[in-house]
Amino acid sequence: MQQAIAGHHTTTSELPAAAAAGHVNAVDYVASSDKAFADSRQRLIAYLVKLNQALDQDLTDLSQALLQRFCESLVDYLSAGHFTLFQRVVLAADEYAAIESTTALAMTFNDRYGDLIEIETLQIKAALENLAQVLGTRFEIEDDIILADRARRH
């Protein structure tokens, strides 16, 4: 994503530096961060759906490629949450515990399946189903955090 900042184009990853240098206002920075975070979540969901379909159809090579992409998207999504959302809000103790717990479970999934050479469909499907439930809970928590943050800023 590119955005004009102070007369030149800057990618989303450069926004924190631009903000620190005073070239972008806080509202634009937060909106851009929220969009980047939402985009990473949508990418993750898209890979989750595609991977699940490939596993259902027993498409081993496609499943392996999608599993790797899903895991990459998972790590990107987790990072986006931590570096865009959770650094600017104060989490309640229960929110923090839930986010840390889901992060640990997601990273365990990534570590176990991210570089798999041989696909074991039933094992991966079961782990993916469990992860999807965990992520669903995390999405709800994140949505509550985002809504509270928006309400606080307006």
Side-chain angles (χ1 to χ4, degrees):
M1 176 176 119
Q2 293 216 334
Q3 180 174 338
I5 297 177
H8 69 281
H9 289 287
T10 303
T11 63
T12 303
S13 62
E14 295 169 326
L15 279 175
H23 296 299
V24 69
N25 68 39
V27 172
D28 290 342
Y29 175 74
V30 169
S32 175
S33 293
D34 284 353
K35 178 162 179 6
F37 178 65
D39 289 349
S40 70
R41 184 194 285 188
Q42 286 305 115
R43 227 176 354 270
L44 177 67
I45 293 168
Y47 278 121
L48 175 67
V49 170
K50 289 176 185 178
L51 174 56
N52 198 42
Q53 290 171 342
L55 290 167
D56 283 344
Q57 296 172 14
D58 203 28
L59 302 171
T60 307
D61 290 343
L62 181 58
S63 294
Q64 188 168 2
L66 286 170
L67 180 60
Q68 186 174 16
R69 293 250 171 101
F70 172 77
C71 286
E72 290 167 0
S73 293
L74 179 62
V75 172
D76 290 347
Y77 158 76
L78 295 171
S79 296
H82 282 279
F83 293 113
T84 62
L85 178 60
F86 305 133
Q87 283 192 346
R88 74 167 193 258
V89 299
V90 176
L91 299 176
D94 61 326
E95 292 171 331
Y96 181 82
I99 294 299
E100 287 303 309
S101 172
T102 58
T103 298
L105 289 168
M107 290 307 296
T108 297
F109 181 94
N110 178 69
D111 293 345
R112 184 171 294 147
Y113 300 107
D115 293 322
L116 246 169
I117 295 172
E118 194 169 312
I119 296 286
E120 295 179 27
T121 301
L122 293 177
Q123 180 184 11
I124 293 170
K125 280 202 57 85
L128 196 60
E129 183 177 321
N130 182 54
L131 180 61
Q133 291 175 350
V134 167
L135 288 173
T137 300
R138 183 183 177 113
F139 294 164
E140 290 174 9
I141 295 166
E142 289 168 344
D143 289 346
D144 290 345
I145 292 167
I146 291 168
L147 290 173
D149 183 52
R150 285 182 186 156
R152 183 186 54 77
R153 288 184 283 113
H154 290 95

